[in-house]
Amino acid sequence: MKHKKALNLIEEKLPKKRYDHSVRVAETAVKLAEIFEADSDKCYLAGILHDYSKYDDLGDMYQYVTKYNLDPTLLAFNSELLHGPVAATKMRFEHGVKDEDIFYAISSHTSGRAQMLLTEKIIYVADFIEPERTQKGVDKIREIVFEDKKLDLAIYEITRLTLKQLLKKNRPIYNRTIECYNYYNMVKE
Ligand code: DGI
Ligand code: FE
Ligand code: FE
């Protein structure tokens, strides 16, 4: 898919605030692609598309999980966790985005997972550190990627912060979030 087409698709589908976030994630992903020698084009496109299903109807998303044989344990979660896998699947089957790197990058952007591909790692990090993000710990993550240039360590720190927040709020934890934490805890140095 061409960048212009992706931008139009997202502009039509999402509220302005979420569209602006998507552009910032795409631009941050391109910066990271330059540092970590990834494909800037793919990173930009995945960044634009990553939150495509953010506001999709939850019932429709559950139907989608079943129809496309996505991980059935997703059915125990809400749109917070479903919007990535559903968006990736819609891009693949309804919008002709066949690229595997982009598929995984969109699909895993919320939970992460063990052994992510390079584009996938970049979107996971870019979503957390795009310039308008102000959550606790974000500046430390920016330093880890932009100054220390340690992508796996950044992933570990993001997953650790996410888990802390989820536990604090008594939220259910998806297996892949834990697998991501354990894996990047092991490889972070
Ligand atoms: O869509 P965005 O707001 O840009 O960001 P996002 O897709 O990273 O995710 C939003 C939320 O998803 C965030 O509040 C943390 C939550 N999340 C991440 N991992 C898990 C999770 N929620 C649950 N319940 N379980 C998880 O494992
Ligand atoms: Fe998201
Ligand atoms: Fe996002």
Side-chain angles (χ1 to χ4, degrees):
M1 186 185 289
K2 294 265 170 35
H3 291 178
K4 185 76 192 142
K5 187 174 171 204
L7 284 164
N8 287 340
L9 194 66
I10 296 305
E11 194 170 24
E12 274 170 28
K13 169 124 165 152
L14 299 179
K16 171 96 172 63
K17 262 181 76 171
R18 184 59 53 175
Y19 170 81
D20 291 345
H21 160 73
S22 307
V23 173
R24 289 192 300 270
V25 170
E27 289 172 355
T28 305
V30 168
K31 282 190 191 162
L32 294 176
E34 283 159 10
I35 296 172
F36 298 103
E37 297 177 21
D39 184 325
S40 302
D41 241 39
K42 285 189 191 186
C43 287
Y44 187 85
L45 197 53
I48 292 297
L49 298 173
H50 82 285
D51 275 338
Y52 177 79
S53 291
K54 185 78 184 175
Y55 307 108
D56 285 5
D57 178 79
L58 188 58
D60 290 349
M61 290 208 265
Y62 288 144
Q63 287 193 3
Y64 225 81
V65 170
T66 310
K67 180 175 171 195
Y68 288 98
N69 290 315
L70 307 188
D71 174 10
T73 68
L74 283 168
L75 297 171
F77 294 88
N78 64 20
S79 61
E80 240 177 25
L81 212 69
L82 278 151
H83 72 278
V86 169
T89 309
K90 286 192 171 178
M91 285 305 140
R92 178 182 272 178
F93 293 110
E94 296 175 5
H95 296 276
V97 182
K98 301 289 177 208
D99 189 274
E100 286 271 299
D101 293 330
I102 295 175
F103 177 84
Y104 281 109
I106 299 172
S107 186
S108 310
H109 84 264
T110 304
S111 63
R113 62 175 182 129
Q115 296 187 282
M116 286 190 278
L117 306 173
L118 183 56
T119 309
E120 192 178 8
K121 290 182 186 184
I122 285 178
I123 297 302
Y124 183 75
V125 174
D127 194 22
F128 196 86
I129 66 166
E130 60 94 338
E132 302 269 310
R133 295 282 202 200
T134 56
Q135 72 280 38
K136 198 163 171 262
V138 69
D139 281 327
K140 183 178 158 191
I141 314 275
R142 289 182 180 125
E143 261 181 52
I144 291 173
V145 284
F146 293 124
E147 288 166 38
D148 308 337
K149 304 189 177 7
K150 290 187 174 172
L151 191 57
D152 288 348
L153 179 60
I155 293 166
Y156 166 73
E157 290 291 345
I158 291 169
T159 314
R160 194 174 65 77
L161 289 169
T162 302
L163 280 171
K164 262 172 90 169
Q165 282 307 310
L166 291 168
L167 290 171
K168 202 164 134 188
K169 293 189 278 180
N170 302 325
R171 306 285 300 138
I173 314 282
Y174 185 40
N175 278 1
R176 286 183 196 174
T177 307
I178 297 172
E179 285 163 12
C180 182
Y181 174 82
N182 286 339
Y183 182 81
Y184 287 96
N185 186 20
M186 180 172 71
V187 302
K188 65 185 185 299
E189 291 311 338

